[in-house]
Amino acid sequence: MKLLSTAAWAALAAAIAAPASAEMQRYSVIFGGKTVGHLNADVQGPQVGIDYDFKNNGRGPTMKEAIRLDANGLPTAWDVTGTTTFGSKVEEHFAKPAAKANWVDSTGKGSAVVKERALYVAQNGSPWATGLYARAILKNGGATIPALPGGTLRLTKGEAFSVNGQGGPLQVTRYDVGGVDTSPDTILLDDKGEYFASVSPSFIVVRAGYEGESERLKTLAAGWATDRFVNIQKKVAHRYGAPVRITNVRVFDPKTQSLTGPVSVLVSGNRIAAVEPADEPATKGEVTIDGAGGTLVAGMYEMHAHTGQEGALLNLIAGITTMRDMGNDNAVLDKLIERINTGVIAGPRIVRAGFVEGKSPFSANNGILVNTEQETVDAVRWYAARDYWSIKSYNSMNPAWIPALVKEAHRLGLKVQGHVPAFATADQMMEAGFDEMTHINQFMLQWVIKPDEDTRTLFRLTALKRLPALDLNSDRVQHSINMLVEKHIPIDVTLGIHENLLTNRDGVIARGATDYFSHMPVGSQRGLKQAWIDTSAPGDDAAYRGAYDKIVQTIRMMNAKGVMIVPGTDTGGSFTYHRELELYQTIGMTPPQILKRATWDMAHYLGQDQSLGSIEKGKLADFFLVPGDPIKDLKAIKSIAMVVKDGTFYFPAEVYPEFGIEPFAAAPKVKGAE
């Protein structure tokens, strides 16, 4: 990546500034190799109308935009209306008639006197908007531009290459647009400076007629993203090549659910060499890290991930050293695991669940999609041959195929969990042999919906507003919960995602984000003050809030009966994983119980407790350091000073700035390192 030369900036800016004729620019939205929607831009000189709509897994945004640009390519008016992925309504408006700009988005109203050229960044803009930002930066200096509501947009140029499609060969150039969120967005502009594509390792928006390039673009995007994380790894991964003594710490013991007295923990290679009394003298040649009276906790387990490279690193420095991926692009996930295991990039250990989904108009385009019972069995065999831990079934699966899926998975030593297929019940899945249930809403819906109601759409979320009237002591409810108990079936409740879904409201900081909101870049902050669902109908606001309360009561009842609550998020983990654990206090768990569940219990559940889950001599060096005492105040896990994974040391204070995030704790003092 490099900045353009002055001459190159001038040439490209001239091309962009050329008079624009009226045209309809059409793009396809591609996920999992399947076209799932469209983006159409009706360009009429300085006026642009956008129609953006895609649906994957039965959900996705539907947006209309009206934009007016000035001679410098800067928006003077921008209106966005529609619905977000989970259905919340969008009414976003920006206007800059003169020197003063005014806007309203989900966070509320804002205004600013603009003394220099500044570019409004739409909260709910389509991918076409990212092309607009790049073109505007090119017209206005070529590198950076002040952003509204805050921050600075930065444009970085990458390589140029050729693409082929119905419109003939084109020369396109990669640009990264960043500065206001945790990671930049990557787009392609053609040789006229027109928007050609938005690319990522899993999601592609590409000019109509060039859909055949989508797999290639996805591969290129993965490589570009990897380059970024390889460079970060070189800067932040500390491998000392000598024994490391961590002094002046106490260790959380999950077996006694208590802290030890002051000790020193020694790491040699990727193993814990010893846990010694604090006054034990150091040996010659050691590296010493001062724990400053803090607490060491074994690496935690995020049990509901769908991860990529950014998520892998952010989870690692949040103290999560193992994660279970619950559905992904199989080839992309395999490459990610290879890069992590070889130390090319940073990330947790990854346990894989094989995603199996039925083919329907509402399919989630991950893993393997099947159309018959035999294809279902074949998919199970494919995953078993590649050492997956379990099979995850999904919404569009034919319920009639589940017994065959379970039988084959169990025959081959795999566990089975997942969503409840549409037109089936959680009780039926437990009777069919599910080893674990996934998502509390998937479990509870059977109590409030009719047999013919379709849960392949957003209905599986909106139907939750029926929960407040539910009698948890009814025979039907107790029958289902008792089945969990009798069959020893754990449940991955993902409580935090339900808190976000049911209680987030526009203009209010999500209550699960209050402890990290101020540390985040402006783009992330805007997202943390946006509702997920539409609560505008009379009574809906109270109904959804009541639904969340009913969910908490249900999980509390499950926990009291001895059901294992599996800690997972489905929201990316990292900060939201900390919140997930924090919420378990509301279901009756104490901080020591929660820490044990997130460490030792999950290591045992996954069959890894011989090498992970606690800090003991001979185990793998996977743990993290917090300045406080997490068994007294669980919030202590939100301020992590150091993470060790497989004997490599990371200091979050060095990593977070790479994402525009303000660190939460200073790095410890290190002596003896070369």
Side-chain angles (χ1 to χ4, degrees):
M1 298 291 289
K2 62 181 181 180
L3 296 178
L4 282 171
S5 67
T6 302
W9 283 124
L12 188 50
I16 293 173
S21 58
E23 62 172 321
M24 178 65 78
Q25 301 175 2
R26 299 185 183 276
Y27 303 85
S28 294
V29 181
I30 299 173
F31 185 89
K34 179 182 177 182
T35 299
V36 295
H38 65 267
L39 191 162
N40 297 329
D42 184 6
V43 181
Q44 303 281 343
Q47 299 186 111
V48 183
I50 302 290
D51 173 15
Y52 179 49
D53 190 312
F54 79 86
K55 298 291 178 287
N56 178 58
N57 191 15
R59 61 196 185 209
T62 299
M63 297 290 178
K64 301 284 188 182
E65 298 173 69
I67 309 169
R68 185 171 184 83
L69 305 173
D70 66 15
N72 295 307
L74 302 175
T76 58
W78 198 331
D79 299 302
V80 187
T81 59
T83 56
T84 63
T85 295
F86 291 103
S88 65
K89 290 184 177 179
V90 172
E91 282 286 345
E92 182 177 359
H93 305 285
F94 169 81
K96 182 182 172 294
K100 186 176 182 180
N102 299 284
W103 62 87
V104 59
D105 59 18
S106 72
T107 69
K109 295 181 179 180
S111 64
V113 175
V114 182
K115 297 181 180 179
E116 57 182 325
R117 291 177 181 173
L119 177 58
Y120 179 72
V121 177
Q123 183 184 30
N124 298 287
S126 68
W128 196 90
T130 312
L132 183 158
Y133 306 148
R135 290 161 56 85
I137 295 172
L138 289 170
K139 284 185 178 181
N140 291 274
T144 65
I145 195 169
L148 297 172
T152 301
L153 276 175
R154 295 180 176 85
L155 185 68
T156 311
K157 179 180 179 290
E159 63 266 43
F161 57 98
S162 294
V163 293
N164 288 285
Q166 293 178 4
L170 283 177
Q171 191 80 357
V172 297
T173 303
R174 168 201 170 193
Y175 292 91
D176 284 350
V177 182
V180 298
D181 221 322
T182 56
S183 288
D185 293 319
T186 299
I187 63 165
L188 305 176
L189 299 181
D190 66 18
D191 54 5
K192 295 180 181 178
E194 298 288 348
Y195 173 70
F196 175 78
S198 294
V199 298
S200 79
S202 60
F203 183 81
I204 301 290
V205 180
V206 65
R207 187 174 295 174
Y210 291 83
E211 292 87 353
E213 290 279 10
S214 63
E215 285 301 310
R216 177 188 172 210
L217 295 179
K218 188 173 74 171
T219 300
L220 287 170
W224 296 331
T226 298
D227 290 343
R228 177 187 178 215
F229 290 101
V230 167
N231 290 331
I232 293 175
Q233 176 77 340
K234 290 176 180 177
K235 289 192 285 185
V236 304
H238 299 278
R239 303 180 181 93
Y240 293 112
V244 179
R245 180 179 294 268
I246 306 162
T247 64
N248 192 18
V249 292
R250 294 188 295 170
V251 170
F252 173 69
D253 182 351
K255 297 173 185 176
T256 63
Q257 297 181 38
S258 63
L259 299 187
T260 67
V263 297
S264 292
V265 174
L266 275 77
V267 174
S268 180
N270 70 340
R271 295 276 174 179
I272 298 168
V275 179
E276 297 183 344
D279 58 358
E280 190 79 13
T283 63
K284 185 178 180 180
E286 292 180 358
V287 171
T288 301
I289 296 178
D290 183 3
T295 304
L296 291 183
V297 180
M300 298 182 292
Y301 282 70
E302 153 65 297
M303 296 292 282
H304 199 125
H306 300 278
T307 196
Q309 294 179 124
E310 177 177 337
L313 179 52
L314 287 175
N315 274 276
L316 180 64
I317 62 169
I320 297 161
T321 58
T322 306
M323 57 182 10
R324 181 176 64 176
D325 192 287
M326 294 288 280
N328 217 313
D329 180 307
N330 294 328
V332 171
L333 182 61
D334 284 349
K335 196 65 178 178
L336 174 65
I337 293 172
E338 176 188 326
R339 289 167 178 153
I340 291 172
N341 289 348
T342 56
V344 173
I345 64 173
R349 305 171 191 278
I350 296 178
V351 175
R352 298 173 296 173
F355 193 91
V356 183
E357 166 73 313
K359 292 181 180 178
S360 84
F362 308 101
S363 298
N365 293 289
N366 267 331
I368 299 176
L369 272 66
V370 297
N371 212 27
T372 66
E373 182 175 280
Q374 185 58 51
E375 288 181 5
T376 302
V377 171
D378 290 344
V380 172
R381 291 178 54 77
W382 190 93
Y383 285 122
R386 287 155 181 82
D387 198 31
Y388 280 66
W389 186 80
S390 65
I391 299 297
K392 180 185 178 183
S393 179
Y394 212 64
N395 295 314
S396 290
M397 283 291 293
N398 186 332
W401 305 339
I402 295 298
L405 180 153
V406 170
K407 181 179 179 181
E408 188 68 4
H410 287 172
R411 185 181 76 84
L412 296 171
L414 279 69
K415 293 185 179 293
V416 178
Q417 77 272 94
H419 287 208
V420 175
F423 315 113
T425 68
D427 287 0
Q428 290 170 342
M429 294 304 102
M430 291 189 287
E431 292 287 4
F434 267 36
D435 300 287
E436 177 184 320
M437 302 305 295
T438 304
H439 298 305
I440 189 62
N441 69 310
Q442 292 282 322
F443 190 83
M444 295 178 70
L445 281 174
Q446 63 181 335
W447 303 329
V448 294
I449 67 172
K450 300 174 183 177
D452 60 348
E453 291 182 306
D454 193 345
T455 56
R456 295 175 297 178
T457 68
L458 282 177
F459 176 72
R460 66 180 180 267
L461 306 177
T462 59
L464 295 176
K465 63 185 177 183
R466 301 177 184 178
L467 288 180
L470 181 65
D471 178 6
L472 294 182
N473 293 312
S474 66
D475 290 344
R476 184 177 184 187
V477 169
Q478 290 300 309
H479 172 77
S480 301
I481 295 176
N482 288 337
M483 197 181 303
L484 287 174
V485 177
E486 293 160 7
K487 292 181 175 291
H488 304 287
I489 299 174
I491 180 167
D492 170 17
V493 294
T494 60
L495 180 55
I497 197 173
H498 292 85
E499 180 188 44
N500 283 319
L501 177 80
L502 299 169
T503 72
N504 286 9
R505 297 295 182 265
D506 283 349
V508 180
I509 298 172
R511 59 193 193 186
T514 54
D515 292 332
Y516 65 87
F517 177 86
S518 63
H519 292 254
M520 304 301 289
V522 62
S524 298
Q525 289 184 358
R526 293 171 85 188
L528 293 170
K529 295 177 72 174
Q530 185 170 26
W532 285 25
I533 54 176
D534 178 18
T535 60
S536 61
D540 275 7
D541 178 76
Y544 283 124
R545 293 182 188 278
Y548 179 71
D549 293 340
K550 190 70 70 170
I551 284 171
V552 171
Q553 293 168 26
T554 302
I555 302 173
R556 186 184 300 129
M557 186 177 289
M558 291 175 174
N559 182 63
K561 286 177 175 283
V563 176
M564 177 183 279
I565 308 302
V566 172
T569 69
D570 199 25
T571 48
S574 186
F575 305 121
T576 61
Y577 182 81
H578 295 160
R579 178 60 175 174
E580 182 77 19
L581 298 186
E582 185 178 36
L583 286 173
Y584 291 171
Q585 294 174 108
T586 68
I587 65 166
M589 296 178 73
T590 65
Q593 289 172 337
I594 294 166
L595 289 175
K596 178 176 181 285
R597 180 61 47 84
T599 56
W600 172 263
D601 287 349
M602 291 302 97
H604 179 72
Y605 183 49
L606 294 177
Q608 299 179 343
D609 51 302
Q610 294 302 306
S611 56
L612 295 167
S614 59
I615 299 173
E616 300 178 73
K617 176 180 172 60
K619 287 197 168 185
L620 291 168
D622 282 27
F623 52 80
F624 63 98
L625 170 68
V626 297
D629 180 349
I631 70 169
K632 290 183 177 178
D633 183 1
L634 193 63
K635 285 182 182 291
I637 67 172
K638 299 182 179 185
S639 298
I640 295 177
M642 178 180 74
V643 178
V644 183
K645 187 254 178 169
D646 210 32
T648 300
F649 289 71
Y650 298 89
F651 306 121
E654 297 178 347
V655 180
Y656 281 128
E658 299 288 337
F659 297 91
I661 299 171
E662 180 184 341
F664 299 82
K669 294 179 180 179
V670 181
K671 294 182 180 180
E674 295 182 0

